[in-house]
Amino acid sequence: MDAYGPGHQHTAEREASAPSRWGPASGQLPSSLVELAGPTCGLVDLPLHLAWSGLRTFDLGDDKLLLGMYRIVLSTGLRDDYLQFLDGDLLASHWPRLRKMVGRGVRTAWEDAFPPLRPRAGQAAA
């Protein structure tokens, strides 16, 4: 028995079993990447609740701007924002770079929910 009594969890066990406060709750994520049917080209204006400081209009034809918009939506958005602004195919194709741009909580939540996003053996894990 643990010196702290029955039912006590060590910090590492607690952290491994609890969702990150820095990532989305599992109920906020879509059930599949196919649900993400956001724009794939053109200009996108993010609402103030997502892009409250700085750039709000993103040209999806510019990879740097697309990645910036996806980072904002992934980091600060909720389910409706994911569905409205993210595209599943674009997310998957840009994920190797995006995963390095978002926090660990966001990265872990999305990769746990969608195994195809996880890095393959031989890819550098950030």
Side-chain angles (χ1 to χ4, degrees):
M1 174 158 79
D2 192 305
Y4 294 103
H8 176 264
Q9 279 187 317
H10 292 280
T11 303
E13 293 170 340
R14 213 173 32 248
E15 289 174 358
S17 64
S20 168
R21 66 179 174 177
W22 303 113
S26 60
Q28 287 293 321
L29 297 177
S31 58
S32 99
L33 293 177
V34 175
E35 283 186 62
L36 302 175
T40 59
C41 61
L43 298 177
V44 176
D45 292 318
L46 289 182
L48 282 173
H49 74 273
L50 292 174
W52 48 269
S53 174
L55 187 63
R56 289 189 53 217
T57 301
F58 298 84
D59 179 353
L60 300 186
D62 180 326
D63 276 357
K64 184 176 178 180
L65 293 176
L66 179 138
L67 290 169
M69 184 190 94
Y70 271 53
R71 182 189 56 77
I72 290 169
V73 175
L74 289 165
S75 299
T76 62
L78 298 174
R79 182 180 178 83
D80 289 343
D81 301 314
Y82 304 146
L83 299 177
Q84 182 176 357
F85 296 109
L86 301 179
D87 175 78
D89 290 335
L90 284 177
L91 178 67
S93 68
H94 289 284
W95 187 253
R97 289 177 57 198
L98 278 166
R99 71 182 310 275
K100 297 172 186 175
M101 299 170 67
V102 297
R104 182 183 307 169
V106 172
R107 181 175 54 245
T108 300
W110 281 85
E111 290 178 353
D112 285 352
F114 307 106
L117 295 180
R118 293 179 189 154
R120 294 183 187 98
Q123 285 181 329

